[in-house]
Every structure is written in structure tokens, then in C-alpha cells.
Amino acid sequence: MNDAGFHFALDGKVGGLTLPNDGECHLDDQGYYTHSDFPSLGQLHEKLLERNVIIISRLRTRRLQAFSSHNGPWLTLTAYQRHSKRVAQERNVIPIFAVAKSKQRDDPALYQEVVNEFFPGGSVGTLASDSRNIIELVRSSYDKITSEIQLVDTVTAPIHVTYSAYCDGETLTPNSQNYSNIRLGNVIKFKLDSVTPDSELCSNGNGSLVCGICECNEGRYGEVCECDDTGSDETETLADSLPCQTSNSSLVCSGQGSCICGKCVCNKRQNPLEKITGKFCNCDNFSCRRDSADLICGGPSKGTCVCGQCECKPGYSGPDCSCPTSIENCLASTGKECNDAGHCECGVCMCNATLVYDGPTCEDCATCPAKCDRNRDCVQCLAYGTGISEEKCQESCPEGIDALWLAIGIIIGILLVGLALLLAWKIATYIYDKREYGKFLKELENARTDAYDYDVS
């Protein structure tokens, strides 16, 4: 507690202290401070916040008169002081100012104005000349602080926040940031509305933005107040619906949407994956053809539905994208597509009806000679030297395999397999014998140790 007069930055110049205050304490051996100028209100406030100190200041009114000119430094917040205000709000630091009476002027309200500017929530009281009521000031200020709630926001123009408070079901003062006479146990509920009058987001100021939603001015409507509600209802409805109709239909938005301000707003489906799109709501992604498994366009892996038509992915085709474009399933044993007796369609061979071939790959022929009959001439020619001529035999019959080389190859294969098996058996036997020998050596060592222990004992 100190009864000294209040000083502020630049007062020290009168005594020759021109060095700005650095926020540190510099005292000589005798306790005098001669290092730098007095601290500013912002510096003082910052130190109070660091130490969570509630100050009680005895200030004379005439001193305040010197500060509170129309452009005085007290009523103009610097960036540093605005930072101090913000930190004070975060740390809930509330100062108490005790104002001493003055012969020239006794105006605590002026002090309260300054305190409200620099220290939101701070209080001001009148201090007796002998300071006898200091304890009462502290007590009354504490009671006021503990029974009052103040809401503070940091929004800037053009945003405006409105407040509504309810105490135990009873509505308190509306649009007020201060609520007093709060008792212990009271439950306070607050309702805050963020309002931006004439917001640019609401069609260039045709409405107010309330909690992110446009509230349109009179005569405007639409999601962002983009529509003008002028003229007669019948004329306006007709004029608005015409841009929402196609040239060949009288349905508004194809019967799948609503016309708002001359634009179609398509209906929403219960299934969130089903979408209605298009300028006239004439497209969707669910009315395309389905395959045998009831999948739209064969499913996501085969195609997608775009405006009622299937757009197939690579490798698939057809109206429902169920047909593979690959001919792998249509290759005959000869390696030819459908045995050259048909064409591959949707992964299935469509055999030529004018030919005698049929079957999955158009290789079956009920009236064709059997394989033995087809190969009889070659067998007679190659095996017995009879039948067709030798020249024709060489042209139409495949060359036979030399039986000698075939036998040699089989014998060599059998020998290689036998050697491999023998080598594997040998390796397994070696590993087994090595393990058994290791066990034998360990048992022998244990036996020697036991005998040595017996002799010593």
C-alpha cells in the first residue's frame, strides 16, 4: 500500500530521467530509483498480469484532469496496451482504484471511464483523506466482483454480438454484457448471437448474417437473399418459373426440383449417394441400366451413371457395362478367336450359323469325323509307310519324335532325380549325426565332472 502521488511515463523528464523504462527494478544501495523514467500504464499493467496482482490506487482528481484532455494519452489505446487488456481478460486480473477527494474536482465517474478503458471489470471508489475506509473499499469491491458477471468479446466491426442471459429460468437484462446481484448457487445460461448487418455475403448487403445464416431484408428472399420479391405473386411466380423449364417440356425443373429465384434447386434423395443434378434437374446418377446382379452400370468397378447413361470403364462395354472387352474367354485351343468360326461378343463366342461348328469356342462339330479318322492317314504314313504318298505325308503330317532321344531324355531325368534325392538324404544324415555327436560329448563332459566332484568329497 502506498500513498505517493501517481506518476506516468514522461513525468521523469522533469527530474532529468530521459531513459525509457525497461520494466526492470533498479534501486541503489540507499533504496532510491534513479535509473530511468516512470513506467507507462501498459508496462505497469503487464507486470501486474505477470504476478496476478490486484492493485488499489489512491489517485487525486486533479491529476486525472491533466490526462483526460480530448486527445489525452489515457483514452487512446496503443497496441501494447491493447495486448495488456487482452492478457488481463485471459488471466482474470481485476484492479481496484481508490480515488481521493479533491478540492478542485470530485468526479469518480471520470476515473471509472478510464478504468473501463484500460482494465475491464475494474472498480473505482472514493477514499477518505486519512484512508480510514480502505478496508471497506476492498471489501465492497470484492463483493461486487464476486456477484457480477461480465462478458467480453474481441469481435470487430462490422460484426456485432448480442447477448441474452437466463438466471434460474428468469430472463436477465437483454443485450447487456454485465449482470450483477448474482448469488452463490445461481445457474446462469447465456445465448450469444453473432450479427453482421448488411453483410456482403448476403447478396451485397441485402440481409444480415446471423450465426452464419442470412436473414434477408424486406422484399428479398433466397438462401443468400439473392431474390427480389417485388411485383404481384402471380406475375412473379410465372416469371420465375420460365427459366426453370426446358424448351420441350412444361415441367418445372423436370419435376425433380423447385424453382427459386429463376434457378432450379434439385430435390435431395433419401440415399445420400443418389444425386439429382443439371441446370434443369434433368440428370441423375441412379436411373441407368442395371446388370443381372442389380448393380447400376455393373457396379463402381465397371462403370458410372452419368445423366442416365452408363459410362463404362476400360475393359468393359455394353449398355450396363457388364460386357468385358477382352477375348480371353473366346480363344480356342488353336489360339484363334472362336476357332475362326464365329466372333467374340461380351466374352462369349457367337458361332457362325452357316458353319457346322458350335460349343464355347466354336470347336465342337457333331458331323465332323473323329480325331482318329482325321489322323489315320498320318499314322499310316509315318508309322507304317503306307497310305498317302510320302510327299503329301511330309506336307500335311507333323514330324514324329525320335524314340531314341526320347528314351535317353527319360533316363537322364531319372538319374538326375535319383542323385538329388541321394544328396538330400546324405545332408540330412550328416546333420543328424553331428547333433548326436554333440550330445555325446556333452554327456561325456558331465560324467567327468561328476567323477571329479566325487573324488574331492
Side-chain angles (χ1 to χ4, degrees):
M1 188 176 294
N2 188 359
D3 61 355
F6 185 81
H7 292 279
F8 60 99
L10 303 182
D11 269 2
K13 283 190 174 182
V14 179
L17 298 176
T18 59
L19 185 66
N21 194 285
D22 60 359
E24 301 295 334
C25 183
H26 302 277
L27 298 178
D28 58 16
D29 296 338
Q30 298 179 358
Y32 289 101
Y33 183 88
T34 59
H35 181 76
S36 60
D37 193 7
F38 292 100
S40 67
L41 284 176
Q43 289 175 313
L44 176 62
H45 198 190
E46 183 71 14
K47 292 303 178 182
L48 293 175
L49 300 180
E50 290 180 0
R51 294 166 174 78
N52 290 328
V53 175
I54 296 178
I55 61 173
I56 303 174
S57 298
R58 177 182 182 274
L59 305 176
R60 296 188 181 275
T61 309
R62 64 176 179 270
R63 175 69 66 183
L64 179 61
Q65 289 175 298
F67 297 160
S68 58
S69 60
H70 293 293
N71 296 318
W74 274 42
L75 302 181
T76 303
L77 287 179
T78 65
Y80 186 81
Q81 291 160 346
R82 287 194 297 268
H83 170 71
S84 298
K85 283 182 61 178
R86 179 179 60 80
V87 178
Q89 295 167 5
E90 293 176 354
R91 302 189 184 182
N92 296 323
V93 176
I94 302 176
I96 303 172
F97 290 88
V99 182
K101 292 183 178 180
S102 173
K103 296 180 180 179
Q104 296 183 5
R105 184 176 182 183
D106 187 10
D107 190 7
L110 186 57
Y111 275 97
Q112 186 66 58
E113 181 182 351
V114 176
V115 170
N116 291 340
E117 186 72 18
F118 285 95
F119 306 97
S123 60
V124 176
T126 303
L127 184 67
S129 59
D130 58 356
S131 302
R132 63 180 180 276
N133 64 334
I134 185 65
I135 301 300
E136 183 61 30
L137 285 177
V138 174
R139 182 181 292 110
S140 62
S141 297
Y142 177 78
D143 292 340
K144 179 183 177 182
I145 292 170
T146 56
S147 63
E148 183 179 285
I149 295 178
Q150 181 182 23
L151 298 180
V152 180
D153 60 68
T154 58
V155 299
T156 58
I159 301 176
H160 175 66
V161 178
T162 59
Y163 301 86
S164 299
Y166 307 90
C167 178
D168 295 334
E170 180 182 353
T171 303
L172 301 180
T173 305
N175 298 327
S176 175
Q177 294 179 252
N178 297 293
Y179 304 95
S180 56
N181 299 325
I182 306 300
R183 298 179 180 179
L184 184 65
N186 289 149
V187 178
I188 311 297
K189 294 183 179 180
F190 298 97
K191 180 182 178 182
L192 279 66
D193 291 324
S194 173
V195 181
T196 306
D198 301 327
S199 173
E200 292 293 327
L201 299 178
C202 300
S203 296
N204 298 321
N206 284 306
S208 298
L209 191 66
V210 180
C211 294
I213 300 176
C214 285
E215 290 188 356
C216 302
N217 297 336
E218 185 176 359
R220 306 289 298 189
Y221 68 97
E223 185 176 357
V224 290
C225 308
E226 71 276 16
C227 302
D228 189 358
D229 190 17
T230 58
S232 64
D233 294 341
E234 183 177 355
T235 303
E236 183 68 18
T237 302
L238 180 61
D240 278 353
S241 62
L242 286 178
C244 298
Q245 301 176 9
T246 59
S247 58
N248 57 353
S249 175
S250 61
L251 291 176
V252 176
C253 299
S254 304
Q256 300 188 102
S258 302
C259 188
I260 299 178
C261 197
K263 295 181 180 179
C264 284
V265 178
C266 301
N267 298 335
K268 296 185 180 299
R269 305 273 295 182
Q270 291 184 348
N271 186 349
L273 299 179
E274 296 180 352
K275 305 289 185 181
I276 300 176
T277 57
K279 180 180 179 181
F280 302 104
C281 300
N282 54 333
C283 292
D284 61 65
N285 65 346
F286 54 86
S287 62
C288 295
R289 295 187 60 173
R290 299 171 181 261
D291 63 3
S292 57
D294 199 32
L295 295 176
I296 299 176
C297 299
S301 62
K302 296 182 179 180
T304 55
C305 183
V306 179
C307 203
Q309 298 292 328
C310 285
E311 290 188 358
C312 302
K313 293 186 177 181
Y316 295 94
S317 62
D320 57 0
C321 300
S322 60
C323 295
T325 57
S326 173
I327 63 172
E328 182 178 358
N329 295 333
C330 297
L331 295 179
S333 59
T334 58
K336 298 179 180 180
E337 179 182 343
C338 299
N339 197 32
D340 280 344
H343 65 278
C344 188
E345 183 177 312
C346 199
V348 178
C349 279
M350 306 298 293
C351 300
N352 194 334
T354 60
L355 302 178
V356 294
Y357 295 97
D358 60 4
T361 55
C362 302
E363 292 183 274
D364 298 339
C365 180
T367 60
C368 296
K371 290 184 179 180
C372 289
D373 295 334
R374 292 199 301 268
N375 296 325
R376 177 179 301 168
D377 292 338
C378 290
V379 171
Q380 291 177 344
C381 170
L382 295 175
Y384 305 105
T386 59
I388 60 177
S389 63
E390 182 178 356
E391 182 180 355
K392 188 175 181 180
C393 180
Q394 292 178 353
E395 291 178 355
S396 59
C397 298
E399 295 183 359
I401 301 175
D402 194 335
L404 177 62
W405 288 109
L406 178 62
I408 293 174
I410 294 174
I411 294 172
I412 293 175
I414 294 174
L415 290 176
L416 291 176
V417 172
L419 289 174
L421 294 174
L422 180 62
L423 180 60
W425 174 80
K426 187 64 177 178
I427 293 173
T429 303
Y430 173 76
I431 294 173
Y432 176 78
D433 291 343
K434 187 174 182 180
R435 289 180 178 177
E436 291 298 321
Y437 181 68
K439 291 180 181 179
F440 170 74
L441 292 178
K442 187 175 181 180
E443 291 175 356
L444 181 62
E445 183 66 24
N446 292 338
R448 291 177 180 176
T449 302
D450 293 341
Y452 175 75
D453 293 341
Y454 177 78
D455 292 340
V456 172
S457 61

